[in-house]
Amino acid sequence: MNTLAHSLLPLSPVIPIAIYAVIALLVVIETGLIFGFFFPGDLLLLAAGVLAGSYRDVSLISILLVAAVASFTGSLAGFFIGGKFGKILIRNDNPPSVENSITRSKEYLATGGWVTVLFANFLPGLRSFVPVVAGQIAMGKVKYLIANVIGSIAWVSAFTVLGYKITDFYEVRESPFVVVAALFLISSGASIVNYM
């Protein structure tokens, strides 16, 4: 059901530009910096889609553009960080969860190459490590850029549009902040589990 077929709530209690800024910041941190590996980007995008499907002043197109650019930029930053400091970061005495993610990223990149970069966004935890490891092993820049663009757009579109579509349910559309709060509670738990 599209936005014309159901009534939208008039204005969100949060200024839309603040919503876009938070989405951009969290997505860049998760996809570009190793310490962001425990951020739940999937649930963040679902929550953003719910807000876009519920409030007239929150634009789905704006969220898609902001999140896709943030994902691409974050992954690109991770690639260059990996190229510059990858050996130092990977040689450090890292916690077991980080070591496990680095090892898995190396294995996936060795077998899947650019396809791994494309699908890495759909793998929580690896979103943060695949770009750094790809930079560290000096993957071809053109292949990386193409895979990063496609992967960023696909990941952002899939989860944001899914969040948008679940507002077809009246209960979700009428209480979007309850749904968003529930998603963030779940995501906080997932973050702690992922970190541990």
Side-chain angles (χ1 to χ4, degrees):
M1 201 180 290
N2 61 37
T3 55
L4 297 176
H6 63 66
S7 60
L8 294 175
L9 297 172
L11 296 173
S12 78
V14 180
I15 301 168
I17 198 152
I19 294 170
Y20 307 144
V22 168
I23 291 166
L25 178 66
L26 294 180
V27 169
V28 165
I29 289 172
E30 186 186 10
T31 58
L33 304 173
I34 285 181
F35 69 81
F37 76 95
F38 59 89
F39 280 19
D42 302 336
L43 293 177
L44 171 71
L45 295 175
L46 273 174
V50 168
L51 293 177
S54 302
Y55 292 104
R56 228 175 250 132
D57 59 336
V58 180
S59 164
L60 176 65
I61 299 300
S62 296
I63 288 173
L64 289 170
L65 287 172
V66 165
V69 169
S71 175
F72 173 79
T73 304
S75 296
L76 193 60
F79 181 80
F80 286 115
I81 289 169
K84 195 82 173 168
F85 306 107
K87 290 180 181 174
I88 297 165
L89 291 169
I90 290 169
R91 276 191 203 137
N92 281 348
D93 188 20
N94 296 309
S97 58
V98 172
E99 283 301 325
N100 182 41
S101 294
I102 290 170
T103 302
R104 284 173 48 209
S105 297
K106 284 181 177 176
E107 288 169 358
Y108 291 146
L109 283 166
T111 56
W114 66 272
V115 176
T116 299
V117 175
L118 199 150
F119 287 107
N121 281 322
F122 291 92
L123 302 169
L126 293 186
R127 270 191 288 274
S128 305
F129 291 96
V130 166
V132 174
V133 174
Q136 195 256 326
I137 64 171
M139 175 182 270
K141 288 184 179 70
V142 173
K143 282 184 180 178
Y144 183 83
L145 285 173
I146 293 169
N148 185 15
V149 168
I150 296 169
S152 293
I153 292 170
W155 173 59
V156 165
S157 300
F159 283 93
T160 308
V161 171
L162 177 61
Y164 183 81
K165 290 305 288 177
I166 66 172
T167 61
D168 285 350
F169 295 101
Y170 175 81
E171 296 79 9
V172 174
R173 193 172 62 254
E174 290 302 303
S175 305
F177 269 93
V178 173
V179 176
V180 169
L183 286 171
F184 274 98
L185 281 174
I186 293 166
S187 67
S188 298
S191 297
I192 292 165
V193 169
N194 201 14
Y195 179 76
M196 297 303 290

